[in-house]
């Protein structure tokens, strides 16, 4: 049973515009959320995270928003750059379960020049 | 050093072979993980080690046998695998506190013939 869902398998955005990647979760015990970026034939690379006690975290061009009541989070990338083209995974963890990550299926982002 | 190093990068093995995947980190992380990723799927947790002790085994078949010889090393011993076990095997490590992001290795691409 998929506890973390990314319902958009792909997204195409023009360079310079905003990319918004969405993620929903079902397990209310999750208390930490992370976004990872993955290129083919490489392991996931950590991008940004947010604790369940916050509703926003910003790091440069990347901002993650958390809506706990809706069990929804989103990653905003602005401005988008061609080098951002990759698969983005949303992940969630529960501090009572050893910090293991539950991943969504990923969204493939393509940023076109 | 923020790297998690996995060897080998690629492995082809027969169903009667015994092989091992290796993972190493020198970040002082006390939690280490094995994930399995099939094509177009998210990484799925297999095992979690915390302070060199197995803390989570996600109902993985016994043909996969993890080992944590010390705080820097994590092995995955493989025996009598099936073709459906072909996948990308990812090792990760993290601190053990809440909010600790996991660092992933590049993975071992395993093909069982």
């Amino acid at each position: 049973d998929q506890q973390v869902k990314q319902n958009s398998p792909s997204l195409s955005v023009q360079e310079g515009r905003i990319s918004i990647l969405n993620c929903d979760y079902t397990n209310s015990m999750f208390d930490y959320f992370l976004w990872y970026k993955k290129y083919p034939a490489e392991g996931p690379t950590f991008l940004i995270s947010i604790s369940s006690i916050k509703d926003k975290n910003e790091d440069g061009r990347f901002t993650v928003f958390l809506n706990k009541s809706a069990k929804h989070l989103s990653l905003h990338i602005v401005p988008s750059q061609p080098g951002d083209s990759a698969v983005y995974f949303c992940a969630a963890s529960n501090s009572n379960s050893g910090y293991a990550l539950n991943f969504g299926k990923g969204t493939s982002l393509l940023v076109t020049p | 050093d923020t790297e998690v190093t996995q060897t080998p990068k690629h492995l082809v093995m027969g169903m009667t072979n015994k092989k091992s995947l290796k993972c190493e980190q020198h970040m002082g992380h006390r939690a280490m993980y094995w994930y399995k990723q099939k094509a177009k799927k998210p990484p799925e947790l297999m095992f979690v080690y915390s302070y060199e002790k197995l803390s989570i085994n996600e109902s993985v078949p016994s043909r996969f046998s993890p080992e944590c010889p010390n705080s820097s090393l994590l092995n995955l011993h493989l025996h009598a695998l099936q073709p459906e076990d072909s996948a990308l095997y990812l090792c990760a490590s993290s601190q053990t506190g809440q909010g600790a992001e996991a660092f992933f290795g590049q993975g071992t691409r395993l093909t069982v013939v």
Side-chain angles (χ1 to χ4, degrees), chain A residues 2-102:
Chain A
Q2 196 79 18
Q3 298 183 72
V4 178
K5 299 178 184 179
Q6 292 176 259
N7 292 321
S8 298
S10 63
L11 176 67
S12 183
V13 172
Q14 243 183 343
E15 182 178 7
R17 308 290 284 263
I18 184 170
S19 296
I20 300 176
L21 296 96
N22 292 304
C23 177
D24 298 291
Y25 62 95
T26 57
N27 188 342
S28 57
M29 297 299 292
F30 288 145
D31 52 12
Y32 206 73
F33 304 90
L34 308 91
W35 285 93
Y36 282 83
K37 178 179 177 180
K38 188 177 185 299
Y39 294 114
E42 291 186 11
T45 303
F46 170 74
L47 205 54
I48 193 169
S49 61
I50 189 166
S51 164
S52 59
I53 62 172
K54 294 187 174 182
D55 55 18
K56 178 182 174 182
N57 188 26
E58 192 171 354
D59 183 2
R61 296 187 297 115
F62 303 92
T63 303
V64 57
F65 295 92
L66 175 63
N67 182 333
K68 275 185 67 178
S69 60
K71 294 194 180 70
H72 177 83
L73 63 154
S74 60
L75 173 67
H76 292 211
I77 307 173
V78 56
S80 301
Q81 299 172 354
D84 296 328
S85 299
V87 177
Y88 288 78
F89 288 100
C90 172
S93 70
N94 171 2
S95 51
N96 291 325
S97 65
Y99 313 105
L101 297 172
N102 292 269

Side-chain angles (χ1 to χ4, degrees), chain B residues 28-92:
Chain B
H29 291 166
R30 302 308 296 272
M32 295 187 77
Y33 312 79
W34 281 114
Y35 286 85
K36 172 182 176 180
Q37 186 178 22
K38 303 277 276 184
K40 300 194 188 304
K41 298 277 190 183
E44 291 180 356
L45 182 68
M46 299 175 74
F47 302 104
V48 180
Y49 273 83
S50 180
Y51 293 92
E52 295 93 73
K53 286 187 170 33
L54 183 65
S55 61
I56 294 179
N57 174 343
E58 290 286 348
S59 303
V60 179
S62 59
R63 57 186 183 269
F64 295 91
S65 175
E67 179 199 17
C68 190
N70 59 53
S71 60
S72 300
L73 294 175
L74 185 66
N75 299 323
L76 186 63
H77 302 297
L78 313 173
H79 174 54
L81 294 194
Q82 304 296 312
E84 59 264 28
D85 296 321
S86 299
L88 180 68
Y89 287 84
L90 293 162
C91 173

